[in-house]
């Protein structure tokens, strides 16, 4: 049978476009790595270079890594900064001293960017007997495996013959005192007498301009849409970034650590928007931060807040197909990415789960408009408490496995936002079942599967 020349032509065009897309992805990754190298070279100096490596999920660990490198540079000590995504045994062997800032996500899990390091480097042992290291472990004591990944890295380094410069410094939920202790250890390394205090962060003033209950009668508890406008200046941010809200002290006691929220808007909106669930304790009293923001703070009131870069959840270029998966108020972080997309891009697919369609179809008018315009290519939603549904978002992943594989084959990326317990783990298992565990791991390592979960 003679092949149709037109079919061969379209096949060649498809292959060409696929190769072009792969080339763009590789170029973007190399450009990002070059930018990090350039920043590191500016801090390197002429003498011995200290390796500063970070494993960060929300961007806080990366921020501390660059602060660490600047502190070394200010004291005349060269520094090279690497993400755990680019770290291996050879990099550790190339230096005599290393400082590692290591975050833990969930119950002892590594950040997504550290997946390759865990699989290819920590699975074995290396001769690191010439290495001396310090480790800053970031975690949250509400989890049983407090700083679990930090301790795992510390154990692997010791088994590989590396010698600690000082005991591991543990940080509970950004605690200022522990971070100041890390600064003190840096002073011991550099010989500096004093250094500027890294904490508390410099907040901007913001004014509450909108506060609206968006799901009255929901079986899942009240959710509020909040909008805040800058008072003094309008900082820049990107889809995927995080807002740290300074919560006021209670009963003249010490001020808590800040609360973090996914940003649902873009700078072009002129304001920062949130979707916040009112959390309640077992006795019915409202949560400290969510209660203050949704119940106590009046429209017109001002708060302290800063916007922090979260590069691990920044979006791809517009031409890349984007699969957005989330539940509950996690839709906030996904909404910002959708606002950054165009109808001429590579397509966007939303899979979202909540309790009730009648109450919890958040941002429905916007989502329907994006579907109509082509910004959103397709949308699948699940409502677990509805009698005619009863599904969770991970069930959508399982049901759409074939289409999901097609999107990934076209170079698609997966972004997950929402609850860590239940949703994130369920979605991860569903992705492994649909794509294969090895494929999911490769997507993690290549930055094509990213999570902002809490």
């Amino acid at each position: 049978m003679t092949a149709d020349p037109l079919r061969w032509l379209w096949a060649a065009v498809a292959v060409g476009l696929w190769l072009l897309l792969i080339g763009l992805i590789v170029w973007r990754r190399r450009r990002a790595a070059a930018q990090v190298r350039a920043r590191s070279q500016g801090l390197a100096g002429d003498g011995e270079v200290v390796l500063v490596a970070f494993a960060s999920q929300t961007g806080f660990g990366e921020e501390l890594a660059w602060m660490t490198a600047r502190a070394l540079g200010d004291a005349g000590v060269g520094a090279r900064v690497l993400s755990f995504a680019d770290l291996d045994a050879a990099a550790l062997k190339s230096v005599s001293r290393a400082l590692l800032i290591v975050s833990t996500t969930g119950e002892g899990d590594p950040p997504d960017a550290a997946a390759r390091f865990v699989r290819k480097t920590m699975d074995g042992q290396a001769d690191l007997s010439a290495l001396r290291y310090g480790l800053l472990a970031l975690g949250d004591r509400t989890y049983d495996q407090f700083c679990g990944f930090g301790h795992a890295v510390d154990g692997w380094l010791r088994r590989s013959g590396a010698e600690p410069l000082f005991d591991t410094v543990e940080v509970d939920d950004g605690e200022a005192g522990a971070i100041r202790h890390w600064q003190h250890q840096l002073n011991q390394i550099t010989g500096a007498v004093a250094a500027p205090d890294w904490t508390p962060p410099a907040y901007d003033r913001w004014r509450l301009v909108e506060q609206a209950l968006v799901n009255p009668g929901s079986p899942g508890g009240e959710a509020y849409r909040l909008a805040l406008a800058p008072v003094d200046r309008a900082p820049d941010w990107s889809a995927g970034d995080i807002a740290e809200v300074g919560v006021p002290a209670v009963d003249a006691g010490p001020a808590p650590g800040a609360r973090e929220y996914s940003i649902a808007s873009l700078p072009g909106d002129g304001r920062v928007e949130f979707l916040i669930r009112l959390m309640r304790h077992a006795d019915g009293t409202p949560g400290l931060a969510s209660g203050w923001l949704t119940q106590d703070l009046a429209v017109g009131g001002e708060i302290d807040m800063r916007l922090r870069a979260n590069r691990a959840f920044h979006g791809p270029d517009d031409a890349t197909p984007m699969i957005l998966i989330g539940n509950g108020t996690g839709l906030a972080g996904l909404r910002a990415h959708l606002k950054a997309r165009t109808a001429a891009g590579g397509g966007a697919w939303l899979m979202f789960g909540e309790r009730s369609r009648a109450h919890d179809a958040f941002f429905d008018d916007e989502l329907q408009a994006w579907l109509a315009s082509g910004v959103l290519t397709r949308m699948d939603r699940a409502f677990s408490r509805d009698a005619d549904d009863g599904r969770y978002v991970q069930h959508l992943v399982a049901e759409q496995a074939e289409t999901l594989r097609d999107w990934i084959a076209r170079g698609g990326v997966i972004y997950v936002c929402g609850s860590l317990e239940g949703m994130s783990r369920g979605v991860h298992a569903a992705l492994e079942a649909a794509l294969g565990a090895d494929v999911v791991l490769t997507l993690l390592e290549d930055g094509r599967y990213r999570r902002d979960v809490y």
Side-chain angles (χ1 to χ4, degrees), residues 117-139:
F117 180 79
V118 172
R119 180 166 70 100
K120 294 190 174 181
T121 304
M122 285 182 65
D123 268 359
Q125 276 188 272
D127 180 9
L128 301 178
S129 55
L131 178 68
R132 301 179 71 202
Y133 70 95
L135 195 145
L136 180 69
L138 307 178

Side-chain angles (χ1 to χ4, degrees), residues 57 112 239-242 260-264 275 310 313 322-337 350-354 393 414-425 427 431 449-454:
Q57 186 71 21
D112 294 339
D241 285 345
I242 288 173
E260 298 181 347
Y261 295 98
S262 299
I263 302 174
L275 184 62
N310 181 20
F313 206 64
M322 196 171 190
I323 303 160
L324 303 161
I325 306 174
N327 74 328
T329 56
L331 187 57
L334 303 181
R335 177 188 186 236
H337 282 296
L350 175 66
M351 285 185 270
F352 174 71
E354 243 296 343
V393 68
I414 300 172
Y415 280 57
V416 178
C417 191
S419 61
L420 174 65
E421 299 299 330
M423 186 282 294
S424 175
R425 298 185 191 280
V427 165
L431 288 172
Y449 172 25
R450 301 178 180 229
R451 294 176 287 190
D452 178 14
V453 294
Y454 40 84

